[in-house]
DNA sequence: CGTGTTTTTTACCATTTGGTAAAGCCACGA
DNA sequence: TCGTGGCTTTACCAAATGGTAAAAAACACG
Protein backbone atom coordinates (compact mmCIF):
# COMPACT_ATOMS: atom_id res chain seq x y z
CA UNK A 1 0.00 0.00 0.00
CA UNK A 2 1.52 3.34 -1.05
CA UNK A 3 0.06 5.11 1.96
CA UNK A 4 2.18 7.88 3.42
CA UNK A 5 4.70 6.62 5.98
CA UNK A 6 3.47 6.63 9.55
CA UNK A 7 6.76 7.78 11.05
CA UNK A 8 8.81 10.90 10.54
CA UNK A 9 7.54 12.77 7.52
CA UNK A 10 10.40 14.07 5.42
CA UNK A 11 10.84 17.70 4.53
CA UNK A 12 9.50 17.00 1.07
CA UNK A 13 6.46 15.31 2.51
CA UNK A 14 5.72 18.23 4.78
CA UNK A 15 6.17 20.72 1.98
CA UNK A 16 4.06 18.80 -0.50
CA UNK A 17 1.29 18.02 1.93
CA UNK A 18 1.07 21.68 2.71
CA UNK A 19 0.97 22.53 -0.96
CA UNK A 20 -1.78 20.01 -1.55
CA UNK A 21 -3.85 21.17 1.42
CA UNK A 22 -3.53 24.75 0.28
CA UNK A 23 -4.53 23.91 -3.26
CA UNK A 24 -7.38 21.75 -2.00
CA UNK A 25 -8.58 24.59 0.18
CA UNK A 26 -8.77 26.77 -2.91
CA UNK A 27 -10.71 24.23 -4.89
CA UNK A 28 -12.98 22.76 -2.24
CA UNK A 29 -13.94 26.17 -0.87
CA UNK A 30 -14.94 27.22 -4.36
CA UNK A 31 -16.77 24.14 -5.59
CA UNK A 32 -17.61 22.01 -2.57
CA UNK A 33 -16.57 18.40 -2.22
CA UNK A 34 -18.51 16.88 -5.07
CA UNK A 35 -17.88 19.77 -7.40
CA UNK A 36 -14.12 19.71 -6.93
CA UNK A 37 -11.91 17.48 -9.06
CA UNK A 38 -8.55 15.94 -8.32
CA UNK A 39 -7.24 17.40 -11.55
CA UNK A 40 -8.10 20.90 -10.40
CA UNK A 41 -6.39 20.32 -7.09
CA UNK A 42 -3.38 18.76 -8.76
CA UNK A 43 -3.00 21.67 -11.11
CA UNK A 44 -3.40 24.20 -8.32
CA UNK A 45 -0.78 22.32 -6.33
CA UNK A 46 1.56 22.15 -9.32
CA UNK A 47 1.87 18.40 -9.38
CA UNK A 48 0.40 15.38 -11.11
CA UNK A 49 -2.81 13.72 -10.02
CA UNK A 50 -1.26 10.39 -9.00
CA UNK A 51 1.13 12.36 -6.85
CA UNK A 52 -1.80 13.60 -4.79
CA UNK A 53 -2.80 10.02 -4.19
CA UNK A 54 0.74 9.29 -3.09
CA UNK A 55 0.38 11.79 -0.27
CA UNK A 56 -3.27 11.29 0.55
CA UNK A 57 -5.40 8.20 0.32
CA UNK A 58 -7.84 9.86 -2.03
CA UNK A 59 -10.10 12.80 -2.60
CA UNK A 60 -12.07 12.23 0.54
CA UNK A 61 -8.94 11.91 2.67
CA UNK A 62 -7.78 15.33 1.51
CA UNK A 63 -11.13 16.85 2.35
CA UNK A 64 -11.23 15.22 5.77
CA UNK A 65 -7.68 16.34 6.53
CA UNK A 66 -8.67 19.88 5.65
CA UNK A 67 -11.75 19.82 7.83
CA UNK A 68 -9.86 18.33 10.74
CA UNK A 69 -7.18 20.97 10.60
CA UNK A 70 -9.80 23.66 10.20
CA UNK A 71 -11.99 22.58 13.09
CA UNK A 72 -9.15 23.03 15.54
CA UNK A 73 -7.97 26.45 14.43
CA UNK A 74 -11.44 27.70 13.82
CA UNK A 75 -12.52 27.29 17.41
CA UNK A 76 -9.46 28.92 18.92
CA UNK A 77 -10.97 32.41 19.13
CA UNK A 78 -13.85 31.02 21.14
CA UNK A 79 -11.54 29.02 23.42
CA UNK A 80 -9.69 32.21 24.25
CA UNK A 81 -12.78 33.73 25.81
CA UNK A 82 -11.64 34.06 29.40
CA UNK A 83 -13.81 33.64 32.46
CA UNK A 84 -11.47 35.94 34.39
CA UNK A 85 -11.71 38.91 32.03
CA UNK A 86 -14.25 41.66 31.84
CA UNK A 87 -17.41 40.11 30.33
CA UNK A 88 -18.28 42.79 27.82
CA UNK A 89 -14.67 43.19 26.71
CA UNK A 90 -14.21 39.44 26.41
CA UNK A 91 -17.16 39.10 24.09
CA UNK A 92 -16.25 42.14 22.04
CA UNK A 93 -12.72 40.82 21.74
CA UNK A 94 -14.12 37.53 20.54
CA UNK A 95 -16.20 39.32 17.95
CA UNK A 96 -13.13 41.18 16.76
CA UNK A 97 -11.11 38.02 16.49
CA UNK A 98 -13.83 36.39 14.42
CA UNK A 99 -14.08 39.39 12.13
CA UNK A 100 -10.33 39.29 11.70
CA UNK A 101 -10.45 35.62 10.82
CA UNK A 102 -13.15 36.23 8.26
CA UNK A 103 -10.96 38.79 6.60
CA UNK A 104 -7.75 36.84 6.76
CA UNK A 105 -9.06 33.35 6.08
CA UNK A 106 -12.08 33.65 3.84
CA UNK A 107 -11.33 30.34 2.14
CA UNK A 108 -11.48 28.49 5.42
CA UNK A 109 -14.71 30.23 6.28
CA UNK A 110 -16.25 29.23 2.98
CA UNK A 111 -15.05 25.65 3.19
CA UNK A 112 -16.76 25.41 6.55
CA UNK A 113 -19.89 27.14 5.32
CA UNK A 114 -20.30 24.91 2.30
CA UNK A 115 -19.80 21.81 4.38
CA UNK A 116 -22.46 22.89 6.87
CA UNK A 117 -24.93 24.08 4.24
CA UNK A 118 -24.64 20.76 2.49
CA UNK A 119 -25.56 18.95 5.68
CA UNK A 120 -22.08 18.50 7.14
CA UNK A 121 -21.79 14.95 5.72
CA UNK A 122 -18.16 14.74 6.80
CA UNK A 123 -18.24 16.92 9.85
CA UNK A 124 -21.26 16.07 11.95
CA UNK A 125 -19.11 13.98 14.32
CA UNK A 126 -16.75 16.92 14.77
CA UNK A 127 -19.62 19.24 15.48
CA UNK A 128 -20.86 16.91 18.20
CA UNK A 129 -17.49 16.13 19.72
CA UNK A 130 -15.60 19.41 19.36
CA UNK A 131 -17.97 22.27 18.75
CA UNK A 132 -20.87 21.29 20.98
CA UNK A 133 -18.94 20.94 24.28
CA UNK A 134 -17.09 24.20 23.72
CA UNK A 135 -20.30 25.92 22.76
CA UNK A 136 -22.08 24.67 25.87
CA UNK A 137 -19.18 25.62 28.09
CA UNK A 138 -19.00 29.17 26.80
CA UNK A 139 -22.76 29.57 26.86
CA UNK A 140 -22.71 28.60 30.52
CA UNK A 141 -19.96 31.12 31.14
CA UNK A 142 -21.93 33.86 29.44
CA UNK A 143 -25.07 32.86 31.32
CA UNK A 144 -23.10 33.24 34.54
CA UNK A 145 -22.00 36.71 33.55
CA UNK A 146 -25.57 37.66 32.85
CA UNK A 147 -26.81 36.37 36.17
CA UNK A 148 -24.12 38.40 37.84
CA UNK A 149 -25.53 41.47 36.14
CA UNK A 150 -22.41 42.05 34.05
CA UNK A 151 -24.27 41.66 30.77
CA UNK A 152 -27.81 42.34 29.66
CA UNK A 153 -29.75 39.09 30.11
CA UNK A 154 -30.60 37.16 26.96
CA UNK A 155 -30.33 33.73 25.41
CA UNK A 156 -26.59 32.95 25.35
CA UNK A 157 -26.96 30.35 22.61
CA UNK A 158 -28.67 32.81 20.33
CA UNK A 159 -26.05 35.39 21.20
CA UNK A 160 -23.15 33.19 20.16
CA UNK A 161 -24.89 32.11 16.98
CA UNK A 162 -25.59 35.73 16.15
CA UNK A 163 -21.90 36.45 16.47
CA UNK A 164 -21.13 33.66 14.05
CA UNK A 165 -23.82 34.73 11.61
CA UNK A 166 -22.63 38.30 11.46
CA UNK A 167 -18.90 37.72 11.42
CA UNK A 168 -18.90 34.92 8.87
CA UNK A 169 -21.23 36.74 6.54
CA UNK A 170 -18.52 39.03 5.31
CA UNK A 171 -16.28 36.17 4.30
CA UNK A 172 -18.92 33.83 2.93
CA UNK A 173 -20.99 36.38 1.05
CA UNK A 174 -18.02 38.41 -0.06
CA UNK A 175 -19.14 38.31 -3.69
CA UNK A 176 -22.46 39.87 -2.81
CA UNK A 177 -20.95 42.38 -0.42
CA UNK A 178 -18.55 43.52 -3.11
CA UNK A 179 -21.38 44.17 -5.54
CA UNK A 180 -23.33 46.21 -3.01
CA UNK A 181 -20.46 48.01 -1.31
CA UNK A 182 -17.78 48.32 -3.95
CA UNK A 183 -15.21 50.05 -1.78
CA UNK A 184 -13.60 47.11 -0.09
CA UNK A 185 -11.63 48.95 2.57
CA UNK A 186 -14.44 51.28 3.56
CA UNK A 187 -16.86 48.36 3.58
CA UNK A 188 -14.66 46.41 5.88
CA UNK A 189 -14.23 49.22 8.36
CA UNK A 190 -17.93 49.94 8.32
CA UNK A 191 -18.69 46.28 8.92
CA UNK A 192 -16.34 46.13 11.87
CA UNK A 193 -17.87 49.22 13.38
CA UNK A 194 -21.42 48.10 12.80
CA UNK A 195 -20.95 44.65 14.27
CA UNK A 196 -19.26 46.13 17.30
CA UNK A 197 -22.11 48.59 17.72
CA UNK A 198 -24.65 45.78 17.62
CA UNK A 199 -23.05 43.75 20.36
CA UNK A 200 -22.32 46.73 22.55
CA UNK A 201 -25.95 47.71 22.23
CA UNK A 202 -27.44 44.38 23.18
CA UNK A 203 -24.88 43.39 25.81
CA UNK A 204 -24.44 46.53 27.86
CA UNK A 205 -26.48 45.99 31.02
CA UNK A 206 -29.11 48.59 31.69
CA UNK A 207 -28.00 50.74 34.57
CA UNK B 1 -34.32 20.98 -32.02
CA UNK B 2 -36.44 19.44 -29.25
CA UNK B 3 -36.51 22.69 -27.33
CA UNK B 4 -39.71 23.34 -25.40
CA UNK B 5 -42.32 25.14 -27.48
CA UNK B 6 -42.21 28.89 -27.26
CA UNK B 7 -45.96 29.38 -27.21
CA UNK B 8 -48.61 28.13 -24.85
CA UNK B 9 -47.16 25.60 -22.44
CA UNK B 10 -49.54 22.70 -21.99
CA UNK B 11 -50.76 21.53 -18.62
CA UNK B 12 -48.32 18.65 -18.72
CA UNK B 13 -45.48 21.01 -19.48
CA UNK B 14 -46.37 23.23 -16.58
CA UNK B 15 -46.67 20.31 -14.21
CA UNK B 16 -43.43 18.67 -15.30
CA UNK B 17 -41.42 21.84 -15.33
CA UNK B 18 -42.56 22.45 -11.81
CA UNK B 19 -41.62 18.94 -10.81
CA UNK B 20 -38.21 19.34 -12.36
CA UNK B 21 -37.59 22.71 -10.76
CA UNK B 22 -38.61 21.35 -7.40
CA UNK B 23 -36.37 18.32 -7.75
CA UNK B 24 -33.53 20.48 -8.99
CA UNK B 25 -33.96 22.76 -6.01
CA UNK B 26 -33.50 19.77 -3.74
CA UNK B 27 -30.39 18.59 -5.49
CA UNK B 28 -28.69 21.89 -6.32
CA UNK B 29 -29.26 23.27 -2.84
CA UNK B 30 -27.61 20.21 -1.37
CA UNK B 31 -24.67 19.76 -3.72
CA UNK B 32 -24.18 22.99 -5.61
CA UNK B 33 -24.15 23.20 -9.37
CA UNK B 34 -21.07 21.15 -10.12
CA UNK B 35 -21.82 18.58 -7.47
CA UNK B 36 -25.35 17.93 -8.68
CA UNK B 37 -26.03 15.37 -11.39
CA UNK B 38 -28.84 15.14 -13.89
CA UNK B 39 -29.50 11.59 -12.77
CA UNK B 40 -30.12 12.76 -9.22
CA UNK B 41 -32.50 15.43 -10.44
CA UNK B 42 -34.23 13.02 -12.77
CA UNK B 43 -34.75 10.50 -10.00
CA UNK B 44 -36.00 13.14 -7.59
CA UNK B 45 -38.39 14.35 -10.26
CA UNK B 46 -39.54 10.82 -10.99
CA UNK B 47 -38.70 10.87 -14.67
CA UNK B 48 -35.93 9.84 -17.01
CA UNK B 49 -32.87 11.91 -17.67
CA UNK B 50 -33.56 12.60 -21.34
CA UNK B 51 -36.95 13.83 -20.30
CA UNK B 52 -35.31 16.60 -18.32
CA UNK B 53 -33.51 17.64 -21.46
CA UNK B 54 -36.81 17.67 -23.27
CA UNK B 55 -38.08 20.36 -20.92
CA UNK B 56 -34.86 22.24 -20.32
CA UNK B 57 -31.92 22.81 -22.61
CA UNK B 58 -29.52 21.21 -20.17
CA UNK B 59 -28.19 21.19 -16.65
CA UNK B 60 -27.17 24.80 -16.75
CA UNK B 61 -30.54 25.90 -18.09
CA UNK B 62 -32.28 24.28 -15.14
CA UNK B 63 -29.98 26.01 -12.72
CA UNK B 64 -30.41 29.36 -14.38
CA UNK B 65 -34.19 28.96 -14.43
CA UNK B 66 -34.10 28.24 -10.71
CA UNK B 67 -31.96 31.23 -9.92
CA UNK B 68 -34.10 33.52 -12.05
CA UNK B 69 -37.27 32.43 -10.33
CA UNK B 70 -35.61 32.71 -6.97
CA UNK B 71 -34.19 36.16 -7.44
CA UNK B 72 -37.62 37.62 -7.99
CA UNK B 73 -39.38 36.02 -5.04
CA UNK B 74 -36.44 36.40 -2.76
CA UNK B 75 -36.42 40.17 -2.98
CA UNK B 76 -40.15 40.60 -2.42
CA UNK B 77 -39.89 41.06 1.34
CA UNK B 78 -37.48 43.92 0.81
CA UNK B 79 -39.64 45.48 -1.90
CA UNK B 80 -42.52 45.56 0.54
CA UNK B 81 -40.66 47.90 2.87
CA UNK B 82 -42.88 50.95 2.66
CA UNK B 83 -41.71 54.54 2.79
CA UNK B 84 -45.10 55.54 4.18
CA UNK B 85 -45.06 53.21 7.18
CA UNK B 86 -43.54 53.66 10.58
CA UNK B 87 -39.77 53.28 10.12
CA UNK B 88 -39.03 51.00 13.06
CA UNK B 89 -42.09 48.85 12.40
CA UNK B 90 -41.29 48.61 8.70
CA UNK B 91 -37.81 47.29 9.37
CA UNK B 92 -38.94 44.92 12.08
CA UNK B 93 -41.65 43.63 9.77
CA UNK B 94 -39.02 43.09 7.11
CA UNK B 95 -36.90 41.16 9.56
CA UNK B 96 -39.87 39.00 10.47
CA UNK B 97 -40.66 38.31 6.83
CA UNK B 98 -37.08 37.24 6.21
CA UNK B 99 -37.08 34.98 9.24
CA UNK B 100 -40.29 33.45 8.03
CA UNK B 101 -38.81 32.84 4.60
CA UNK B 102 -35.78 31.17 6.11
CA UNK B 103 -38.03 28.80 7.97
CA UNK B 104 -40.38 28.10 5.12
CA UNK B 105 -37.95 28.04 2.23
CA UNK B 106 -34.62 26.79 3.52
CA UNK B 107 -33.78 25.13 0.20
CA UNK B 108 -34.10 28.40 -1.63
CA UNK B 109 -31.96 30.09 0.97
CA UNK B 110 -29.26 27.45 0.61
CA UNK B 111 -29.35 27.50 -3.16
CA UNK B 112 -28.74 31.22 -3.02
CA UNK B 113 -26.06 30.90 -0.35
CA UNK B 114 -24.10 28.25 -2.24
CA UNK B 115 -24.25 30.26 -5.43
CA UNK B 116 -22.93 33.37 -3.70
CA UNK B 117 -20.27 31.54 -1.71
CA UNK B 118 -18.99 29.97 -4.89
CA UNK B 119 -18.56 33.36 -6.46
CA UNK B 120 -22.00 33.75 -8.01
CA UNK B 121 -20.78 32.50 -11.42
CA UNK B 122 -24.32 32.42 -12.77
CA UNK B 123 -25.81 35.24 -10.79
CA UNK B 124 -23.48 38.20 -10.78
CA UNK B 125 -25.49 39.92 -13.53
CA UNK B 126 -28.65 39.47 -11.47
CA UNK B 127 -26.98 40.90 -8.42
CA UNK B 128 -25.98 43.97 -10.37
CA UNK B 129 -29.24 44.45 -12.21
CA UNK B 130 -31.83 43.37 -9.64
CA UNK B 131 -30.37 43.36 -6.17
CA UNK B 132 -28.13 46.40 -6.33
CA UNK B 133 -30.77 48.96 -7.38
CA UNK B 134 -33.26 47.70 -4.83
CA UNK B 135 -30.59 47.67 -2.16
CA UNK B 136 -29.55 51.22 -2.96
CA UNK B 137 -33.13 52.41 -3.03
CA UNK B 138 -33.97 50.94 0.35
CA UNK B 139 -30.72 52.12 1.87
CA UNK B 140 -31.57 55.64 0.77
CA UNK B 141 -35.01 55.27 2.31
CA UNK B 142 -33.53 54.10 5.59
CA UNK B 143 -30.96 56.88 5.51
CA UNK B 144 -33.83 59.34 5.14
CA UNK B 145 -35.57 57.87 8.14
CA UNK B 146 -32.41 58.24 10.16
CA UNK B 147 -31.91 61.83 9.15
CA UNK B 148 -35.48 62.51 10.19
CA UNK B 149 -34.60 61.14 13.61
CA UNK B 150 -36.98 58.22 13.31
CA UNK B 151 -34.19 55.67 13.64
CA UNK B 152 -30.86 55.64 15.42
CA UNK B 153 -28.26 56.82 12.91
CA UNK B 154 -25.95 54.18 11.46
CA UNK B 155 -24.69 52.80 8.18
CA UNK B 156 -27.83 51.67 6.31
CA UNK B 157 -25.86 49.30 4.07
CA UNK B 158 -24.40 47.50 7.03
CA UNK B 159 -27.79 47.41 8.66
CA UNK B 160 -29.43 45.67 5.73
CA UNK B 161 -26.57 43.22 5.36
CA UNK B 162 -26.79 42.46 9.07
CA UNK B 163 -30.43 41.61 8.62
CA UNK B 164 -29.55 39.22 5.84
CA UNK B 165 -26.71 37.65 7.78
CA UNK B 166 -28.82 36.97 10.84
CA UNK B 167 -31.99 35.85 9.15
CA UNK B 168 -30.37 33.57 6.60
CA UNK B 169 -28.12 31.96 9.14
CA UNK B 170 -30.88 29.83 10.55
CA UNK B 171 -31.74 28.34 7.18
CA UNK B 172 -28.24 27.98 5.82
CA UNK B 173 -26.55 26.67 8.96
CA UNK B 174 -29.50 24.61 10.03
CA UNK B 175 -27.37 21.51 10.44
CA UNK B 176 -25.09 23.26 12.89
CA UNK B 177 -27.95 24.94 14.72
CA UNK B 178 -29.63 21.59 15.20
CA UNK B 179 -26.53 20.11 16.78
CA UNK B 180 -26.15 23.00 19.20
CA UNK B 181 -29.80 23.67 19.99
CA UNK B 182 -31.52 20.32 19.59
CA UNK B 183 -35.03 21.53 20.37
CA UNK B 184 -36.12 22.80 17.01
CA UNK B 185 -39.25 24.65 18.05
CA UNK B 186 -37.71 26.31 21.08
CA UNK B 187 -34.66 27.21 19.01
CA UNK B 188 -36.75 28.83 16.38
CA UNK B 189 -38.75 30.91 18.83
CA UNK B 190 -35.60 31.96 20.62
CA UNK B 191 -34.01 32.94 17.33
CA UNK B 192 -36.99 35.06 16.36
CA UNK B 193 -37.00 36.78 19.70
CA UNK B 194 -33.25 37.37 19.72
CA UNK B 195 -33.09 38.80 16.24
CA UNK B 196 -35.99 41.10 17.00
CA UNK B 197 -34.27 42.24 20.19
CA UNK B 198 -31.12 43.04 18.29
CA UNK B 199 -32.77 45.28 15.76
CA UNK B 200 -35.00 47.00 18.25
CA UNK B 201 -31.91 47.74 20.31
CA UNK B 202 -29.83 49.26 17.56
CA UNK B 203 -32.65 51.04 15.70
CA UNK B 204 -34.62 52.71 18.47
CA UNK B 205 -33.57 56.37 18.44
CA UNK B 206 -32.19 57.61 21.70
CA UNK B 207 -34.75 59.86 23.28
C1' DC C 1 30.20 5.85 -6.84
C1' DG C 2 26.55 2.36 -5.86
C1' DT C 3 22.50 0.87 -3.86
C1' DG C 4 18.24 1.01 -1.66
C1' DT C 5 14.49 4.16 -0.78
C1' DT C 6 11.48 7.94 -1.67
C1' DT C 7 9.20 10.71 -5.04
C1' DT C 8 7.20 11.55 -9.60
C1' DT C 9 5.58 10.55 -14.02
C1' DT C 10 3.43 8.06 -17.94
C1' DA C 11 0.07 5.12 -19.42
C1' DC C 12 -3.99 3.20 -18.29
C1' DC C 13 -8.79 1.72 -16.50
C1' DA C 14 -13.68 1.50 -14.89
C1' DT C 15 -17.30 4.39 -13.74
C1' DT C 16 -19.90 8.43 -13.95
C1' DT C 17 -21.82 12.14 -16.30
C1' DG C 18 -24.02 15.43 -19.57
C1' DG C 19 -26.14 14.82 -23.57
C1' DT C 20 -28.12 12.61 -28.19
C1' DA C 21 -30.79 9.57 -31.51
C1' DA C 22 -34.40 7.28 -32.53
C1' DA C 23 -38.01 4.58 -31.66
C1' DG C 24 -42.28 3.88 -28.84
C1' DC C 25 -46.31 5.60 -26.39
C1' DC C 26 -50.51 8.01 -25.84
C1' DA C 27 -54.35 11.23 -26.26
C1' DC C 28 -57.29 13.21 -29.47
C1' DG C 29 -59.49 14.81 -33.66
C1' DA C 30 -61.05 13.60 -38.54
C1' DT D 1 -59.88 3.56 -37.33
C1' DC D 2 -56.02 5.93 -38.52
C1' DG D 3 -52.91 9.71 -38.20
C1' DT D 4 -50.63 13.29 -35.95
C1' DG D 5 -48.14 15.65 -32.61
C1' DG D 6 -46.71 16.05 -28.09
C1' DC D 7 -44.49 13.24 -24.53
C1' DT D 8 -41.38 9.43 -22.77
C1' DT D 9 -38.23 5.82 -22.82
C1' DT D 10 -34.39 2.70 -24.29
C1' DA D 11 -29.99 2.44 -25.99
C1' DC D 12 -26.17 4.80 -26.67
C1' DC D 13 -21.78 7.97 -26.77
C1' DA D 14 -17.76 10.96 -25.84
C1' DA D 15 -15.67 13.29 -22.25
C1' DA D 16 -14.49 13.69 -17.54
C1' DT D 17 -13.22 11.72 -13.27
C1' DG D 18 -11.31 9.00 -9.29
C1' DG D 19 -7.99 5.90 -8.99
C1' DT D 20 -4.11 2.16 -10.19
C1' DA D 21 0.28 -0.06 -11.99
C1' DA D 22 4.61 0.20 -12.87
C1' DA D 23 8.52 2.23 -14.50
C1' DA D 24 11.53 6.23 -14.35
C1' DA D 25 13.75 9.85 -11.84
C1' DA D 26 15.57 11.94 -7.74
C1' DC D 27 17.53 11.39 -3.49
C1' DA D 28 20.02 9.68 0.77
C1' DC D 29 23.94 7.82 2.40
C1' DG D 30 27.62 4.38 3.17
Amino acid sequence: MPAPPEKKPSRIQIRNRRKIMDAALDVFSQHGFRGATLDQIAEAAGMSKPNLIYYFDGKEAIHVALLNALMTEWLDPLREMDAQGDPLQEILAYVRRKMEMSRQFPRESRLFAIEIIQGAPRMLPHLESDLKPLFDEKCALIAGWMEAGKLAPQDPQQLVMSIWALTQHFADFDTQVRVLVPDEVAGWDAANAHVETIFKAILTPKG
Side-chain angles (χ1 to χ4, degrees), chain A:
Chain A
M1 201 187 294
E6 311 288 342
K7 289 263 173 175
K8 296 197 179 189
S10 71
R11 239 158 280 119
I12 292 180
Q13 271 177 14
I14 291 175
R15 177 175 51 84
N16 279 353
R17 287 213 194 179
R18 256 204 251 288
K19 259 169 64 173
I20 292 172
M21 300 263 290
D22 190 71
L25 181 56
D26 267 355
V27 178
F28 281 134
S29 69
Q30 204 166 81
H31 300 288
F33 179 73
R34 292 217 48 197
T37 74
L38 285 180
D39 295 279
Q40 286 176 297
I41 299 174
E43 197 194 332
M47 64 182 74
S48 65
K49 184 168 59 174
N51 218 5
L52 296 190
I53 307 299
Y54 176 76
Y55 286 106
F56 289 90
D57 275 349
K59 188 184 177 184
E60 182 142 354
I62 301 177
H63 196 238
V64 168
L66 262 184
L67 291 178
N68 285 350
L70 177 58
M71 183 51 95
T72 310
E73 303 165 26
W74 213 241
L75 294 180
D76 278 343
L78 183 53
R79 286 202 193 85
E80 286 176 37
M81 205 166 73
D82 184 7
Q84 309 307 317
D86 174 68
L88 182 55
Q89 288 312 313
E90 282 298 319
I91 293 185
L92 290 180
Y94 173 54
V95 170
R96 272 181 232 115
R97 286 195 293 272
K98 282 243 82 177
M99 286 295 279
E100 191 57 21
M101 288 190 80
S102 273
R103 197 184 52 174
Q104 284 201 293
F105 307 107
R107 294 179 306 169
E108 282 85 348
S109 185
R110 272 175 229 145
L111 179 74
F112 189 89
I114 290 184
E115 172 72 7
I116 300 291
I117 291 177
Q118 299 186 345
R122 276 160 259 277
M123 222 169 41
L124 258 187
H126 284 300
L127 295 184
E128 301 273 10
S129 67
D130 295 13
L131 178 59
K132 181 79 158 61
L134 184 62
F135 177 77
D136 288 342
E137 176 201 326
K138 296 305 182 184
C139 281
L141 171 60
I142 293 171
W145 283 339
M146 288 175 185
E147 272 173 39
K150 306 280 195 175
L151 296 175
Q154 59 200 277
D155 186 330
Q157 295 180 323
Q158 296 299 324
L159 173 67
V160 173
M161 290 196 292
S162 295
I163 294 175
W164 292 343
L166 283 167
T167 55
Q168 293 209 183
H169 185 260
F170 299 97
D172 301 345
F173 285 71
D174 174 67
T175 305
Q176 180 178 256
V177 173
R178 276 228 259 273
V179 167
L180 300 178
V181 187
D183 184 337
E184 202 176 338
V185 181
W188 184 257
D189 287 347
N192 266 319
H194 195 257
V195 170
E196 189 147 337
T197 304
I198 287 179
F199 290 106
K200 264 187 201 153
I202 64 170
L203 285 170
T204 306
K206 292 173 186 174

